[in-house]
Amino acid sequence: TTMSMAGGTGSGLGAFVTQCLRDAFPSSFILNHIIWPYGTGEVIVQNYNSVLTLSHLYQSSDALLVHENDVIHKICAQLMNIKQISFRDVNQVIAHQLGSVFQPTHPAGGGSDYSRNPLGDLLEALVPHPEFKVLALRNIPQMPEGSLAYSTFSWPGLLKHLRQMLIANAKMEEGIDWQVRPPPAGSSISSHSTTKPLHFNTSIANLLILRGKDVHSVDLGSFQDPSLYTSWLKPQDAFHAWKTPRAFNKYEKSAALVSNSQFLLKPLDSVVGKAWNMFASK
């Protein structure tokens, strides 16, 4: 189900349809792809709508894959160099990101067969606990088609950037904070302690999808580092990789990362805070 959170038909109808699907198919996988509203107004009641929609979806959906409008807008402006950004441009970036995940791939250890059930495999890899089901999607590289011919990419370089985007919670390649580091190994830090590194984005689970040349010789060790993950899952259960030697959308090499992490804490705090403020001021 693809839907918006801000309101109008998207949020109410989307939540209702999802609930009907859950009632009709109690044991099926249901994934909702949701569009997080712009920080400053699309719809006057968007913060109410977002909170209420989320609370309903949390009951009936297995996972919520979130795209933030502000982030996609920034990608259009800074990475794609688009001057007058239209809904079509925004949707094209979202479609590219979704395609980088849902085009056929070979799941880990699946031999040469393509996955028959990409949605199910995705949820199995990323949602080990029913209360933590919000997923983020990052992919690199992303650039205007005209620049592709002049660019070369190496797997170690792409993965180094993608890993830093994950731990520093950067949504695109530009402006990554390289100062953020994982906590030192063996320093079992509780989530509330003050010694936790600044702005470090802890993950529950990550799925890395690689497409293009020499994909089977890539070293994925940096994503299997236990310090990236919560303590209650082993890294081998928390990290999965899918690969295919087929190039995606004219990119010789490309990587997508779907993560179940703390990425939404700030946007969620902001939406809930604004909803309470509206409520308090009647």
Side-chain angles (χ1 to χ4, degrees):
T1 313
T2 300
M3 54 188 282
S4 85
M5 299 272 294
T9 319
S11 52
L13 187 67
F16 178 70
V17 167
T18 306
Q19 203 175 336
C20 294
L21 283 169
R22 174 53 73 217
D23 293 344
F25 304 100
S27 53
S28 292
F29 282 129
I30 296 180
L31 172 76
N32 284 68
H33 172 232
I34 54 182
I35 306 297
W36 199 261
Y38 283 103
T40 50
E42 290 170 71
V43 182
I44 188 76
V45 288
Q46 68 177 32
N47 299 303
Y48 283 156
N49 286 343
S50 298
V51 170
L52 297 171
T53 301
L54 264 184
S55 70
H56 277 273
L57 289 180
Y58 236 77
Q59 308 298 317
S60 45
S61 176
D62 292 303
L64 311 171
L65 180 60
V66 178
H67 268 112
E68 296 170 66
N69 267 340
D70 287 317
V71 171
I72 303 298
H73 206 89
K74 221 167 150 184
I75 289 173
C76 288
Q78 293 181 17
L79 297 185
M80 309 304 280
N81 297 327
I82 300 166
K83 298 290 173 267
Q84 298 285 319
I85 298 168
S86 67
F87 278 124
R88 187 186 165 81
D89 298 321
V90 170
N91 286 337
Q92 202 158 5
V93 169
I94 292 174
H96 174 87
Q97 293 201 351
L98 290 174
S100 70
V101 173
F102 290 115
Q103 284 279 315
T105 53
H106 306 295
S112 61
D113 291 337
Y114 280 118
S115 163
R116 299 265 177 215
N117 179 13
L119 267 186
D121 291 343
L122 181 93
L123 298 190
E124 214 168 281
L126 286 169
V127 193
H129 188 297
E131 283 301 309
F132 300 107
K133 54 173 93 172
V134 184
L135 310 179
L137 171 46
R138 298 170 175 84
N139 73 306
I140 62 171
Q142 195 150 27
M143 56 175 61
E145 209 169 294
S147 312
L148 277 176
Y150 310 104
S151 311
T152 54
F153 303 102
S154 73
W155 284 119
L158 287 175
L159 294 189
K160 184 182 174 186
H161 275 78
L162 199 52
R163 179 181 190 264
Q164 192 65 23
M165 284 165 73
L166 170 72
I167 65 176
N169 197 16
K171 308 292 169 45
M172 59 182 194
E173 289 167 82
E174 238 169 69
I176 302 172
D177 182 352
W178 288 92
Q179 304 303 309
V180 178
R181 293 266 180 281
S187 63
S188 59
I189 299 169
S190 81
S191 57
H192 303 296
S193 89
T194 47
T195 49
K196 194 159 192 181
L198 206 57
H199 310 310
F200 178 76
N201 178 32
T202 307
S203 300
I204 289 176
N206 286 312
L207 169 65
L208 183 64
I209 298 144
L210 306 177
R211 302 175 182 278
K213 271 187 181 169
D214 311 321
V215 75
H216 293 297
S217 57
V218 184
D219 174 20
L220 301 175
S222 63
F223 282 94
Q224 290 157 334
D225 175 356
S227 62
L228 302 189
Y229 300 99
T230 164
S231 55
W232 47 267
L233 270 185
K234 298 189 186 97
Q236 62 263 34
D237 297 325
F239 175 73
H240 295 79
W242 300 349
K243 303 172 185 174
T244 173
R246 241 191 123 89
F248 174 66
N249 214 0
K250 304 194 175 109
Y251 288 83
E252 180 193 72
K253 298 183 175 104
S254 64
L257 181 72
V258 193
S259 63
N260 185 340
S261 71
Q262 297 174 301
F263 79 102
L264 202 67
L265 286 182
K266 260 199 183 127
L268 189 57
D269 272 347
S270 161
V271 158
V272 173
K274 286 175 181 170
W276 275 117
N277 285 346
M278 271 184 94
F279 181 75
S281 56
K282 296 187 168 53

